[in-house]
PDB file of all heavy atoms in Angstrom:
ATOM      1  N   SER A  20      11.855   5.691   5.022  1.00  0.00           N
ATOM      2  CA  SER A  20      12.245   6.293   3.703  1.00  0.00           C
ATOM      3  C   SER A  20      11.752   5.321   2.607  1.00  0.00           C
ATOM      4  O   SER A  20      11.677   4.143   2.777  1.00  0.00           O
ATOM      5  CB  SER A  20      13.791   6.443   3.648  1.00  0.00           C
ATOM      6  OG  SER A  20      14.204   7.390   4.642  1.00  0.00           O
ATOM      7  N   GLY A  21      11.495   5.915   1.476  1.00  0.00           N
ATOM      8  CA  GLY A  21      11.029   5.100   0.297  1.00  0.00           C
ATOM      9  C   GLY A  21      10.402   5.972  -0.747  1.00  0.00           C
ATOM     10  O   GLY A  21      10.764   7.141  -0.913  1.00  0.00           O
ATOM     11  N   VAL A  22       9.455   5.400  -1.503  1.00  0.00           N
ATOM     12  CA  VAL A  22       8.801   6.031  -2.620  1.00  0.00           C
ATOM     13  C   VAL A  22       7.334   5.953  -2.464  1.00  0.00           C
ATOM     14  O   VAL A  22       6.805   4.820  -2.058  1.00  0.00           O
ATOM     15  CB  VAL A  22       9.249   5.421  -3.942  1.00  0.00           C
ATOM     16  CG1 VAL A  22       8.494   6.078  -5.076  1.00  0.00           C
ATOM     17  CG2 VAL A  22      10.721   5.548  -4.173  1.00  0.00           C
ATOM     18  N   ILE A  23       6.579   7.011  -2.706  1.00  0.00           N
ATOM     19  CA  ILE A  23       5.112   7.076  -2.659  1.00  0.00           C
ATOM     20  C   ILE A  23       4.570   6.272  -3.812  1.00  0.00           C
ATOM     21  O   ILE A  23       4.786   6.715  -4.971  1.00  0.00           O
ATOM     22  CB  ILE A  23       4.549   8.456  -2.565  1.00  0.00           C
ATOM     23  CG1 ILE A  23       5.053   9.232  -1.325  1.00  0.00           C
ATOM     24  CG2 ILE A  23       3.062   8.388  -2.569  1.00  0.00           C
ATOM     25  CD1 ILE A  23       4.629   8.664  -0.039  1.00  0.00           C
ATOM     26  N   ILE A  24       3.947   5.123  -3.575  1.00  0.00           N
ATOM     27  CA  ILE A  24       3.418   4.341  -4.717  1.00  0.00           C
ATOM     28  C   ILE A  24       1.838   4.554  -4.793  1.00  0.00           C
ATOM     29  O   ILE A  24       1.248   4.135  -5.786  1.00  0.00           O
ATOM     30  CB  ILE A  24       3.780   2.863  -4.612  1.00  0.00           C
ATOM     31  CG1 ILE A  24       3.215   2.258  -3.288  1.00  0.00           C
ATOM     32  CG2 ILE A  24       5.290   2.710  -4.746  1.00  0.00           C
ATOM     33  CD1 ILE A  24       3.445   0.726  -3.243  1.00  0.00           C
ATOM     34  N   ASN A  25       1.254   5.110  -3.761  1.00  0.00           N
ATOM     35  CA  ASN A  25      -0.156   5.310  -3.831  1.00  0.00           C
ATOM     36  C   ASN A  25      -0.549   6.494  -2.920  1.00  0.00           C
ATOM     37  O   ASN A  25      -0.065   6.576  -1.797  1.00  0.00           O
ATOM     38  CB  ASN A  25      -0.945   4.024  -3.331  1.00  0.00           C
ATOM     39  CG  ASN A  25      -2.389   4.058  -3.746  1.00  0.00           C
ATOM     40  OD1 ASN A  25      -2.790   4.946  -4.556  1.00  0.00           O
ATOM     41  ND2 ASN A  25      -3.149   3.128  -3.312  1.00  0.00           N
ATOM     42  N   LYS A  26      -1.365   7.313  -3.486  1.00  0.00           N
ATOM     43  CA  LYS A  26      -1.878   8.459  -2.689  1.00  0.00           C
ATOM     44  C   LYS A  26      -3.407   8.514  -2.728  1.00  0.00           C
ATOM     45  O   LYS A  26      -3.965   8.545  -3.824  1.00  0.00           O
ATOM     46  CB  LYS A  26      -1.304   9.781  -3.278  1.00  0.00           C
ATOM     47  CG  LYS A  26      -1.692  11.077  -2.477  1.00  0.00           C
ATOM     48  CD  LYS A  26      -1.161  12.329  -3.175  1.00  0.00           C
ATOM     49  CE  LYS A  26      -1.970  12.638  -4.369  1.00  0.00           C
ATOM     50  NZ  LYS A  26      -1.760  13.948  -4.883  1.00  0.00           N
ATOM     51  N   LEU A  27      -3.995   8.494  -1.587  1.00  0.00           N
ATOM     52  CA  LEU A  27      -5.510   8.358  -1.499  1.00  0.00           C
ATOM     53  C   LEU A  27      -6.170   9.543  -0.977  1.00  0.00           C
ATOM     54  O   LEU A  27      -7.335   9.503  -0.552  1.00  0.00           O
ATOM     55  CB  LEU A  27      -5.793   7.099  -0.637  1.00  0.00           C
ATOM     56  CG  LEU A  27      -5.151   5.812  -1.045  1.00  0.00           C
ATOM     57  CD1 LEU A  27      -5.440   4.696  -0.028  1.00  0.00           C
ATOM     58  CD2 LEU A  27      -5.719   5.347  -2.456  1.00  0.00           C
ATOM     59  N   VAL A  28      -5.474  10.694  -0.899  1.00  0.00           N
ATOM     60  CA  VAL A  28      -6.033  11.888  -0.271  1.00  0.00           C
ATOM     61  C   VAL A  28      -5.676  13.115  -1.061  1.00  0.00           C
ATOM     62  O   VAL A  28      -4.548  13.145  -1.640  1.00  0.00           O
ATOM     63  CB  VAL A  28      -5.575  12.001   1.190  1.00  0.00           C
ATOM     64  CG1 VAL A  28      -4.070  12.263   1.306  1.00  0.00           C
ATOM     65  CG2 VAL A  28      -6.406  12.981   1.980  1.00  0.00           C
ATOM     66  N   GLU A  29      -6.469  14.112  -1.031  1.00  0.00           N
ATOM     67  CA  GLU A  29      -6.227  15.390  -1.680  1.00  0.00           C
ATOM     68  C   GLU A  29      -6.604  16.502  -0.682  1.00  0.00           C
ATOM     69  O   GLU A  29      -7.352  16.290   0.284  1.00  0.00           O
ATOM     70  CB  GLU A  29      -7.009  15.586  -2.997  1.00  0.00           C
ATOM     71  CG  GLU A  29      -6.658  14.557  -4.053  1.00  0.00           C
ATOM     72  CD  GLU A  29      -5.246  14.775  -4.613  1.00  0.00           C
ATOM     73  OE1 GLU A  29      -4.673  15.943  -4.411  1.00  0.00           O
ATOM     74  OE2 GLU A  29      -4.721  13.968  -5.333  1.00  0.00           O
ATOM     75  N   PRO A  30      -6.076  17.742  -0.789  1.00  0.00           N
ATOM     76  CA  PRO A  30      -6.459  18.847   0.022  1.00  0.00           C
ATOM     77  C   PRO A  30      -8.030  19.034  -0.005  1.00  0.00           C
ATOM     78  O   PRO A  30      -8.615  19.034  -1.082  1.00  0.00           O
ATOM     79  CB  PRO A  30      -5.715  20.071  -0.479  1.00  0.00           C
ATOM     80  CG  PRO A  30      -4.539  19.453  -1.221  1.00  0.00           C
ATOM     81  CD  PRO A  30      -4.992  18.167  -1.728  1.00  0.00           C
ATOM     82  N   GLY A  31      -8.574  19.197   1.197  1.00  0.00           N
ATOM     83  CA  GLY A  31     -10.057  19.285   1.274  1.00  0.00           C
ATOM     84  C   GLY A  31     -10.764  18.044   1.631  1.00  0.00           C
ATOM     85  O   GLY A  31     -11.930  18.029   2.013  1.00  0.00           O
ATOM     86  N   THR A  32     -10.048  16.885   1.616  1.00  0.00           N
ATOM     87  CA  THR A  32     -10.690  15.608   1.905  1.00  0.00           C
ATOM     88  C   THR A  32     -10.881  15.501   3.431  1.00  0.00           C
ATOM     89  O   THR A  32     -10.012  15.884   4.195  1.00  0.00           O
ATOM     90  CB  THR A  32      -9.840  14.474   1.455  1.00  0.00           C
ATOM     91  OG1 THR A  32      -9.620  14.552   0.027  1.00  0.00           O
ATOM     92  CG2 THR A  32     -10.504  13.122   1.746  1.00  0.00           C
ATOM     93  N   THR A  33     -12.023  15.027   3.827  1.00  0.00           N
ATOM     94  CA  THR A  33     -12.260  14.851   5.286  1.00  0.00           C
ATOM     95  C   THR A  33     -12.066  13.370   5.664  1.00  0.00           C
ATOM     96  O   THR A  33     -12.594  12.464   5.002  1.00  0.00           O
ATOM     97  CB  THR A  33     -13.741  15.227   5.613  1.00  0.00           C
ATOM     98  OG1 THR A  33     -13.907  16.637   5.338  1.00  0.00           O
ATOM     99  CG2 THR A  33     -13.955  15.073   7.131  1.00  0.00           C
ATOM    100  N   VAL A  34     -11.215  13.183   6.593  1.00  0.00           N
ATOM    101  CA  VAL A  34     -10.934  11.752   7.062  1.00  0.00           C
ATOM    102  C   VAL A  34     -11.593  11.564   8.384  1.00  0.00           C
ATOM    103  O   VAL A  34     -11.631  12.442   9.264  1.00  0.00           O
ATOM    104  CB  VAL A  34      -9.409  11.545   7.143  1.00  0.00           C
ATOM    105  CG1 VAL A  34      -8.768  11.614   5.739  1.00  0.00           C
ATOM    106  CG2 VAL A  34      -8.712  12.456   8.102  1.00  0.00           C
ATOM    107  N   ALA A  35     -12.142  10.416   8.550  1.00  0.00           N
ATOM    108  CA  ALA A  35     -12.794  10.003   9.834  1.00  0.00           C
ATOM    109  C   ALA A  35     -12.080   8.809  10.415  1.00  0.00           C
ATOM    110  O   ALA A  35     -12.093   7.702   9.840  1.00  0.00           O
ATOM    111  CB  ALA A  35     -14.286   9.719   9.575  1.00  0.00           C
ATOM    112  N   ALA A  36     -11.520   8.977  11.614  1.00  0.00           N
ATOM    113  CA  ALA A  36     -10.813   7.839  12.220  1.00  0.00           C
ATOM    114  C   ALA A  36     -11.504   7.318  13.487  1.00  0.00           C
ATOM    115  O   ALA A  36     -10.930   6.953  14.401  1.00  0.00           O
ATOM    116  CB  ALA A  36      -9.392   8.356  12.608  1.00  0.00           C
ATOM    117  N   SER A  37     -12.844   7.339  13.394  1.00  0.00           N
ATOM    118  CA  SER A  37     -13.615   6.950  14.609  1.00  0.00           C
ATOM    119  C   SER A  37     -13.492   5.436  14.859  1.00  0.00           C
ATOM    120  O   SER A  37     -13.350   4.986  16.018  1.00  0.00           O
ATOM    121  CB  SER A  37     -15.064   7.354  14.375  1.00  0.00           C
ATOM    122  OG  SER A  37     -15.200   8.732  14.133  1.00  0.00           O
ATOM    123  N   PHE A  38     -13.641   4.573  13.808  1.00  0.00           N
ATOM    124  CA  PHE A  38     -13.676   3.143  13.981  1.00  0.00           C
ATOM    125  C   PHE A  38     -12.421   2.487  13.523  1.00  0.00           C
ATOM    126  O   PHE A  38     -12.012   1.452  14.014  1.00  0.00           O
ATOM    127  CB  PHE A  38     -14.908   2.557  13.250  1.00  0.00           C
ATOM    128  CG  PHE A  38     -16.207   3.121  13.747  1.00  0.00           C
ATOM    129  CD1 PHE A  38     -16.837   4.140  13.079  1.00  0.00           C
ATOM    130  CD2 PHE A  38     -16.716   2.696  14.937  1.00  0.00           C
ATOM    131  CE1 PHE A  38     -18.052   4.635  13.479  1.00  0.00           C
ATOM    132  CE2 PHE A  38     -17.926   3.176  15.465  1.00  0.00           C
ATOM    133  CZ  PHE A  38     -18.599   4.218  14.707  1.00  0.00           C
ATOM    134  N   GLN A  39     -11.799   3.008  12.451  1.00  0.00           N
ATOM    135  CA  GLN A  39     -10.553   2.412  11.893  1.00  0.00           C
ATOM    136  C   GLN A  39      -9.698   3.483  11.267  1.00  0.00           C
ATOM    137  O   GLN A  39     -10.223   4.550  10.907  1.00  0.00           O
ATOM    138  CB  GLN A  39     -10.869   1.317  10.890  1.00  0.00           C
ATOM    139  CG  GLN A  39     -11.593   1.801   9.688  1.00  0.00           C
ATOM    140  CD  GLN A  39     -11.888   0.679   8.691  1.00  0.00           C
ATOM    141  OE1 GLN A  39     -11.585  -0.470   8.976  1.00  0.00           O
ATOM    142  NE2 GLN A  39     -12.446   1.020   7.534  1.00  0.00           N
ATOM    143  N   THR A  40      -8.404   3.243  11.137  1.00  0.00           N
ATOM    144  CA  THR A  40      -7.550   4.219  10.638  1.00  0.00           C
ATOM    145  C   THR A  40      -7.592   4.250   9.163  1.00  0.00           C
ATOM    146  O   THR A  40      -7.396   3.266   8.455  1.00  0.00           O
ATOM    147  CB  THR A  40      -6.069   3.862  11.051  1.00  0.00           C
ATOM    148  OG1 THR A  40      -5.982   3.815  12.461  1.00  0.00           O
ATOM    149  CG2 THR A  40      -5.106   4.867  10.527  1.00  0.00           C
ATOM    150  N   PRO A  41      -8.008   5.385   8.614  1.00  0.00           N
ATOM    151  CA  PRO A  41      -8.060   5.491   7.098  1.00  0.00           C
ATOM    152  C   PRO A  41      -6.635   5.581   6.506  1.00  0.00           C
ATOM    153  O   PRO A  41      -5.799   6.335   7.042  1.00  0.00           O
ATOM    154  CB  PRO A  41      -8.890   6.788   6.905  1.00  0.00           C
ATOM    155  CG  PRO A  41      -8.634   7.636   8.136  1.00  0.00           C
ATOM    156  CD  PRO A  41      -8.476   6.629   9.271  1.00  0.00           C
ATOM    157  N   ASN A  42      -6.421   4.864   5.385  1.00  0.00           N
ATOM    158  CA  ASN A  42      -5.136   4.926   4.752  1.00  0.00           C
ATOM    159  C   ASN A  42      -5.069   6.132   3.839  1.00  0.00           C
ATOM    160  O   ASN A  42      -5.998   6.346   3.022  1.00  0.00           O
ATOM    161  CB  ASN A  42      -4.886   3.657   3.963  1.00  0.00           C
ATOM    162  CG  ASN A  42      -4.751   2.406   4.853  1.00  0.00           C
ATOM    163  OD1 ASN A  42      -4.202   2.533   5.959  1.00  0.00           O
ATOM    164  ND2 ASN A  42      -5.305   1.334   4.399  1.00  0.00           N
ATOM    165  N   LEU A  43      -3.988   6.878   3.883  1.00  0.00           N
ATOM    166  CA  LEU A  43      -3.761   8.040   3.045  1.00  0.00           C
ATOM    167  C   LEU A  43      -2.698   7.894   2.060  1.00  0.00           C
ATOM    168  O   LEU A  43      -2.831   8.336   0.937  1.00  0.00           O
ATOM    169  CB  LEU A  43      -3.417   9.271   3.968  1.00  0.00           C
ATOM    170  CG  LEU A  43      -4.337   9.550   5.189  1.00  0.00           C
ATOM    171  CD1 LEU A  43      -3.846  10.809   5.920  1.00  0.00           C
ATOM    172  CD2 LEU A  43      -5.761   9.694   4.698  1.00  0.00           C
ATOM    173  N   PHE A  44      -1.602   7.083   2.367  1.00  0.00           N
ATOM    174  CA  PHE A  44      -0.551   6.889   1.468  1.00  0.00           C
ATOM    175  C   PHE A  44      -0.023   5.461   1.578  1.00  0.00           C
ATOM    176  O   PHE A  44      -0.236   4.806   2.626  1.00  0.00           O
ATOM    177  CB  PHE A  44       0.610   7.853   1.783  1.00  0.00           C
ATOM    178  CG  PHE A  44       0.315   9.337   1.820  1.00  0.00           C
ATOM    179  CD1 PHE A  44      -0.044   9.947   2.990  1.00  0.00           C
ATOM    180  CD2 PHE A  44       0.287  10.057   0.656  1.00  0.00           C
ATOM    181  CE1 PHE A  44      -0.384  11.260   2.984  1.00  0.00           C
ATOM    182  CE2 PHE A  44      -0.005  11.379   0.608  1.00  0.00           C
ATOM    183  CZ  PHE A  44      -0.367  11.971   1.838  1.00  0.00           C
ATOM    184  N   GLU A  45       0.663   5.005   0.568  1.00  0.00           N
ATOM    185  CA  GLU A  45       1.378   3.715   0.603  1.00  0.00           C
ATOM    186  C   GLU A  45       2.807   4.033   0.135  1.00  0.00           C
ATOM    187  O   GLU A  45       3.069   4.635  -0.898  1.00  0.00           O
ATOM    188  CB  GLU A  45       0.776   2.692  -0.313  1.00  0.00           C
ATOM    189  CG  GLU A  45      -0.570   2.146   0.190  1.00  0.00           C
ATOM    190  CD  GLU A  45      -1.060   1.037  -0.685  1.00  0.00           C
ATOM    191  OE1 GLU A  45      -0.253   0.441  -1.404  1.00  0.00           O
ATOM    192  OE2 GLU A  45      -2.267   0.666  -0.577  1.00  0.00           O
ATOM    193  N   ILE A  46       3.763   3.535   0.973  1.00  0.00           N
ATOM    194  CA  ILE A  46       5.192   3.803   0.724  1.00  0.00           C
ATOM    195  C   ILE A  46       5.849   2.446   0.473  1.00  0.00           C
ATOM    196  O   ILE A  46       5.782   1.559   1.296  1.00  0.00           O
ATOM    197  CB  ILE A  46       5.813   4.530   1.916  1.00  0.00           C
ATOM    198  CG1 ILE A  46       5.117   5.925   2.164  1.00  0.00           C
ATOM    199  CG2 ILE A  46       7.351   4.746   1.667  1.00  0.00           C
ATOM    200  CD1 ILE A  46       5.748   6.633   3.373  1.00  0.00           C
ATOM    201  N   ALA A  47       6.580   2.410  -0.628  1.00  0.00           N
ATOM    202  CA  ALA A  47       7.464   1.278  -0.903  1.00  0.00           C
ATOM    203  C   ALA A  47       8.802   1.530  -0.329  1.00  0.00           C
ATOM    204  O   ALA A  47       9.502   2.432  -0.733  1.00  0.00           O
ATOM    205  CB  ALA A  47       7.605   1.008  -2.392  1.00  0.00           C
ATOM    206  N   ALA A  48       9.152   0.845   0.717  1.00  0.00           N
ATOM    207  CA  ALA A  48      10.376   1.144   1.509  1.00  0.00           C
ATOM    208  C   ALA A  48      11.615   1.075   0.723  1.00  0.00           C
ATOM    209  O   ALA A  48      12.522   1.864   0.923  1.00  0.00           O
ATOM    210  CB  ALA A  48      10.400   0.257   2.767  1.00  0.00           C
ATOM    211  N   ASP A  49      11.743   0.076  -0.128  1.00  0.00           N
ATOM    212  CA  ASP A  49      12.969  -0.172  -0.854  1.00  0.00           C
ATOM    213  C   ASP A  49      12.691  -0.811  -2.191  1.00  0.00           C
ATOM    214  O   ASP A  49      12.365  -1.956  -2.316  1.00  0.00           O
ATOM    215  CB  ASP A  49      13.911  -1.081  -0.061  1.00  0.00           C
ATOM    216  CG  ASP A  49      15.310  -1.195  -0.782  1.00  0.00           C
ATOM    217  OD1 ASP A  49      15.524  -0.441  -1.788  1.00  0.00           O
ATOM    218  OD2 ASP A  49      16.109  -2.037  -0.300  1.00  0.00           O
ATOM    219  N   THR A  50      12.685   0.070  -3.266  1.00  0.00           N
ATOM    220  CA  THR A  50      12.344  -0.463  -4.641  1.00  0.00           C
ATOM    221  C   THR A  50      13.516  -1.123  -5.334  1.00  0.00           C
ATOM    222  O   THR A  50      13.326  -1.629  -6.429  1.00  0.00           O
ATOM    223  CB  THR A  50      11.780   0.686  -5.434  1.00  0.00           C
ATOM    224  OG1 THR A  50      12.823   1.737  -5.519  1.00  0.00           O
ATOM    225  CG2 THR A  50      10.494   1.271  -4.912  1.00  0.00           C
ATOM    226  N   THR A  51      14.672  -1.080  -4.716  1.00  0.00           N
ATOM    227  CA  THR A  51      15.812  -1.823  -5.367  1.00  0.00           C
ATOM    228  C   THR A  51      15.734  -3.307  -5.132  1.00  0.00           C
ATOM    229  O   THR A  51      16.380  -4.050  -5.788  1.00  0.00           O
ATOM    230  CB  THR A  51      17.175  -1.329  -4.772  1.00  0.00           C
ATOM    231  OG1 THR A  51      17.195  -1.558  -3.323  1.00  0.00           O
ATOM    232  CG2 THR A  51      17.300   0.195  -4.980  1.00  0.00           C
ATOM    233  N   ARG A  52      14.876  -3.700  -4.175  1.00  0.00           N
ATOM    234  CA  ARG A  52      14.638  -5.075  -3.957  1.00  0.00           C
ATOM    235  C   ARG A  52      13.158  -5.297  -3.981  1.00  0.00           C
ATOM    236  O   ARG A  52      12.383  -4.609  -3.298  1.00  0.00           O
ATOM    237  CB  ARG A  52      15.226  -5.590  -2.637  1.00  0.00           C
ATOM    238  CG  ARG A  52      16.698  -5.571  -2.565  1.00  0.00           C
ATOM    239  CD  ARG A  52      17.164  -6.141  -1.187  1.00  0.00           C
ATOM    240  NE  ARG A  52      16.728  -7.533  -0.979  1.00  0.00           N
ATOM    241  CZ  ARG A  52      16.455  -8.065   0.186  1.00  0.00           C
ATOM    242  NH1 ARG A  52      16.636  -7.375   1.305  1.00  0.00           N
ATOM    243  NH2 ARG A  52      16.058  -9.277   0.272  1.00  0.00           N
ATOM    244  N   MET A  53      12.681  -6.196  -4.832  1.00  0.00           N
ATOM    245  CA  MET A  53      11.288  -6.487  -4.972  1.00  0.00           C
ATOM    246  C   MET A  53      10.981  -7.947  -4.663  1.00  0.00           C
ATOM    247  O   MET A  53      11.891  -8.759  -4.447  1.00  0.00           O
ATOM    248  CB  MET A  53      10.778  -6.165  -6.427  1.00  0.00           C
ATOM    249  CG  MET A  53      11.146  -4.749  -6.846  1.00  0.00           C
ATOM    250  SD  MET A  53      10.132  -3.447  -6.097  1.00  0.00           S
ATOM    251  CE  MET A  53       8.657  -3.583  -7.157  1.00  0.00           C
ATOM    252  N   GLN A  54       9.742  -8.311  -4.699  1.00  0.00           N
ATOM    253  CA  GLN A  54       9.376  -9.744  -4.509  1.00  0.00           C
ATOM    254  C   GLN A  54       8.214 -10.067  -5.481  1.00  0.00           C
ATOM    255  O   GLN A  54       7.448  -9.093  -5.827  1.00  0.00           O
ATOM    256  CB  GLN A  54       8.975 -10.039  -3.073  1.00  0.00           C
ATOM    257  CG  GLN A  54       7.675  -9.369  -2.636  1.00  0.00           C
ATOM    258  CD  GLN A  54       7.371  -9.759  -1.169  1.00  0.00           C
ATOM    259  OE1 GLN A  54       8.238 -10.103  -0.374  1.00  0.00           O
ATOM    260  NE2 GLN A  54       6.127  -9.674  -0.779  1.00  0.00           N
ATOM    261  N   VAL A  55       8.138 -11.254  -5.886  1.00  0.00           N
ATOM    262  CA  VAL A  55       7.073 -11.724  -6.777  1.00  0.00           C
ATOM    263  C   VAL A  55       6.268 -12.754  -5.912  1.00  0.00           C
ATOM    264  O   VAL A  55       6.844 -13.700  -5.350  1.00  0.00           O
ATOM    265  CB  VAL A  55       7.627 -12.431  -8.056  1.00  0.00           C
ATOM    266  CG1 VAL A  55       6.453 -13.029  -8.862  1.00  0.00           C
ATOM    267  CG2 VAL A  55       8.363 -11.423  -8.913  1.00  0.00           C
ATOM    268  N   GLU A  56       4.951 -12.513  -5.873  1.00  0.00           N
ATOM    269  CA  GLU A  56       4.041 -13.425  -5.200  1.00  0.00           C
ATOM    270  C   GLU A  56       3.421 -14.325  -6.249  1.00  0.00           C
ATOM    271  O   GLU A  56       2.513 -13.885  -6.966  1.00  0.00           O
ATOM    272  CB  GLU A  56       3.020 -12.611  -4.376  1.00  0.00           C
ATOM    273  CG  GLU A  56       3.646 -11.763  -3.358  1.00  0.00           C
ATOM    274  CD  GLU A  56       2.573 -10.933  -2.572  1.00  0.00           C
ATOM    275  OE1 GLU A  56       1.423 -11.040  -2.933  1.00  0.00           O
ATOM    276  OE2 GLU A  56       2.979 -10.206  -1.668  1.00  0.00           O
ATOM    277  N   ALA A  57       3.943 -15.506  -6.414  1.00  0.00           N
ATOM    278  CA  ALA A  57       3.481 -16.405  -7.425  1.00  0.00           C
ATOM    279  C   ALA A  57       2.532 -17.484  -6.864  1.00  0.00           C
ATOM    280  O   ALA A  57       2.696 -17.991  -5.731  1.00  0.00           O
ATOM    281  CB  ALA A  57       4.662 -17.149  -8.046  1.00  0.00           C
ATOM    282  N   SER A  58       1.469 -17.738  -7.637  1.00  0.00           N
ATOM    283  CA  SER A  58       0.448 -18.742  -7.182  1.00  0.00           C
ATOM    284  C   SER A  58       0.761 -20.021  -7.904  1.00  0.00           C
ATOM    285  O   SER A  58       0.636 -20.151  -9.120  1.00  0.00           O
ATOM    286  CB  SER A  58      -0.940 -18.207  -7.548  1.00  0.00           C
ATOM    287  OG  SER A  58      -1.897 -19.165  -7.131  1.00  0.00           O
ATOM    288  N   VAL A  59       1.178 -21.070  -7.185  1.00  0.00           N
ATOM    289  CA  VAL A  59       1.589 -22.350  -7.724  1.00  0.00           C
ATOM    290  C   VAL A  59       0.472 -23.417  -7.386  1.00  0.00           C
ATOM    291  O   VAL A  59      -0.017 -23.504  -6.297  1.00  0.00           O
ATOM    292  CB  VAL A  59       2.929 -22.814  -7.055  1.00  0.00           C
ATOM    293  CG1 VAL A  59       3.300 -24.166  -7.630  1.00  0.00           C
ATOM    294  CG2 VAL A  59       3.989 -21.822  -7.409  1.00  0.00           C
ATOM    295  N   ASP A  60       0.158 -24.146  -8.443  1.00  0.00           N
ATOM    296  CA  ASP A  60      -0.911 -25.167  -8.325  1.00  0.00           C
ATOM    297  C   ASP A  60      -0.518 -26.270  -7.335  1.00  0.00           C
ATOM    298  O   ASP A  60       0.710 -26.594  -7.187  1.00  0.00           O
ATOM    299  CB  ASP A  60      -1.206 -25.798  -9.737  1.00  0.00           C
ATOM    300  CG  ASP A  60      -2.403 -26.697  -9.661  1.00  0.00           C
ATOM    301  OD1 ASP A  60      -3.537 -26.110  -9.766  1.00  0.00           O
ATOM    302  OD2 ASP A  60      -2.256 -27.862  -9.523  1.00  0.00           O
ATOM    303  N   GLU A  61      -1.453 -26.843  -6.707  1.00  0.00           N
ATOM    304  CA  GLU A  61      -1.197 -27.906  -5.632  1.00  0.00           C
ATOM    305  C   GLU A  61      -0.492 -29.095  -6.272  1.00  0.00           C
ATOM    306  O   GLU A  61       0.236 -29.799  -5.604  1.00  0.00           O
ATOM    307  CB  GLU A  61      -2.451 -28.316  -4.995  1.00  0.00           C
ATOM    308  CG  GLU A  61      -3.513 -28.967  -5.912  1.00  0.00           C
ATOM    309  CD  GLU A  61      -4.653 -29.522  -5.110  1.00  0.00           C
ATOM    310  OE1 GLU A  61      -4.484 -29.961  -3.927  1.00  0.00           O
ATOM    311  OE2 GLU A  61      -5.795 -29.505  -5.683  1.00  0.00           O
ATOM    312  N   ALA A  62      -0.724 -29.392  -7.573  1.00  0.00           N
ATOM    313  CA  ALA A  62      -0.041 -30.518  -8.242  1.00  0.00           C
ATOM    314  C   ALA A  62       1.412 -30.311  -8.345  1.00  0.00           C
ATOM    315  O   ALA A  62       2.240 -31.227  -8.523  1.00  0.00           O
ATOM    316  CB  ALA A  62      -0.682 -30.767  -9.601  1.00  0.00           C
ATOM    317  N   ASP A  63       1.869 -29.036  -8.378  1.00  0.00           N
ATOM    318  CA  ASP A  63       3.316 -28.708  -8.562  1.00  0.00           C
ATOM    319  C   ASP A  63       3.986 -28.295  -7.344  1.00  0.00           C
ATOM    320  O   ASP A  63       5.245 -28.224  -7.294  1.00  0.00           O
ATOM    321  CB  ASP A  63       3.452 -27.612  -9.676  1.00  0.00           C
ATOM    322  CG  ASP A  63       2.848 -28.027 -10.950  1.00  0.00           C
ATOM    323  OD1 ASP A  63       2.982 -29.186 -11.317  1.00  0.00           O
ATOM    324  OD2 ASP A  63       2.258 -27.127 -11.647  1.00  0.00           O
TER     325      ASP A  63
END
């Protein structure tokens, strides 16, 4: 369960799963809790 945050397909699109799985959607499982990915310098 979650919220659709990205949709990469529309009706009529042809997907090919021969070599790797094509991504169709991205789901944020729980938007009430988030995370920040911060880049901290090596000096700090």
Side-chain angles (χ1 to χ4, degrees):
S20 300
V22 177
I23 300 293
I24 61 174
N25 198 7
K26 184 184 73 167
L27 304 172
V28 67
E29 296 290 344
T32 303
T33 300
V34 295
S37 301
F38 300 102
Q39 62 181 3
T40 301
N42 292 324
L43 307 183
F44 304 95
E45 289 186 16
I46 300 176
D49 184 8
T50 56
T51 61
R52 294 182 60 207
M53 306 286 279
Q54 67 181 23
V55 175
E56 299 177 359
S58 181
V59 178
D60 189 84
E61 63 173 326
D63 300 323

